[in-house]
Amino acid sequence: MINRLDRYISRLILVPLLATLVVSALLLLLDKMLRLFTFVMDEGGPVTVVWQMLGNLIPQYLALGIPIGLLLGTTLAFRKLATGSEMDAVISSGVSHLRLLRMPFLYATLLAVVTLWLVGFIQPYSRYAYEGLRFELRSGALGASIKVGDFAHLGKKLTLRIEESREGGRVLSGIFVHAVDKHNAILTASAAQGTFLATDDPNIVLFRLFNGELVHRDAKGNTQRILQFDQHDLPVDLPEFEAFRARGNEYLEMTLPELVITQGNTTMTPEAKLEANANFHRRLVQAAVLFVIPFLAMAMAIPPKRSTSAIGVFAGIVILVVYNEISEFCEKISGDGVVHAAVAQWVPYTLFALYSVWLFRQVAYKVGEPPIGRLIRIGDKTSKLLKRLIALFRRRRKLAH
């Protein structure tokens, strides 16, 4: 049953957990946003598509932030209990260290389900949608704007150049048009101003030109007519865009059931099966690692007596990040066929789990200095050495002056 102590620990974990998820997702999105704005502007697409692309990246960034969020939330919660002497009072009342992990394991279970849902079913669709938007930007299917001063090709039979654009592209000035009609006659026009108008046909827009001159030549070039006009309407056929590929051509766009089916599909190449198998085990490990984090968090949270050093918090993050990098490297080598995917992922996971449990046992069942005690002493000695070197450098600098 959930008692008052569990609710208290839950509140201590929840705030830094949510804060870490929000801050990490925002930082990753801000870093990506600048590059996406540059990409969209270079391709001449609408700015609104940036928000759609960022929205499709949220599941990926949430899956990356969940382990760090759980680690920070649990570590900071137990560190507060330890530095405030609440941990000693709780342990003295007969509550074991393992019993204190009830709420962290409940959080780990809930977050493991969320992670499996994200990486197994949401990310493949969001990644496909993201790549689809990139494809449409490059192909111009999103209605990319005509760049001022450049020759824009709308299909194979229309070339357009605009000198100036005002009012969000509604008023165009300094217009040059070169077109070929269905009879292969050539039409060349220049106009002072122009604007695009919609028609009843979604595949055709009307380009209305004002105050210009039009030259019309037949297909053989024998007849040429020159016309000056105050207003002339030029129908423009919108180009047909290539359709985006179907989802599932890349293993990162496959759901977990689809990855299982791919591994048993006889029509797939051996390389595709290896990559699917490697990614399948990688996704499972991303969810399973959350059940190890509570052990690591408690071991890194409790400093030695009469110490308030927070070095354990940073040490825990470093350990988790290093393990994540190892897991990604193992996915790559197993995808290349160097080692079986199950061995490449679950052996490092087992070693990481055993190491975390061993650190926890040092705190929970061993008398004496906690695991981070030696690390704190090394950090203190290093800090003192740096302070001495800085002081020595300052004295020499004063003597030199």
Side-chain angles (χ1 to χ4, degrees), residues 186 214-218 221-227:
I186 299 174
L214 184 147
V215 178
H216 184 274
R217 293 188 296 273
D218 61 11
N222 297 327
T223 305
Q224 176 173 296
R225 292 180 295 173
I226 300 176
L227 172 68

Side-chain angles (χ1 to χ4, degrees), residues 175-179 181 185-192 207-218 224-235:
I175 300 168
F176 170 80
V177 180
H178 179 82
D181 64 15
I186 299 174
L187 183 147
T188 303
S190 60
F207 193 19
R208 179 161 292 174
L209 304 176
F210 300 97
N211 302 325
E213 185 177 86
L214 184 147
V215 178
H216 184 274
R217 293 188 296 273
D218 61 11
Q224 176 173 296
R225 292 180 295 173
I226 300 176
L227 172 68
Q228 290 184 343
F229 57 86
D230 295 327
Q231 177 180 312
H232 180 75
D233 292 338
L234 179 66

Side-chain angles (χ1 to χ4, degrees), residues 16-28:
L17 169 61
L18 294 179
T20 302
L21 287 178
V22 172
V23 171
S24 61
L26 286 178
L27 289 176
L28 292 171

Side-chain angles (χ1 to χ4, degrees), residues 150-164:
D150 291 346
F151 285 96
H153 302 281
L154 302 181
K156 297 181 179 180
K157 296 186 176 182
L158 179 65
T159 301
L160 178 67
R161 189 176 189 274
I162 305 296
E163 289 289 346
E164 185 180 358

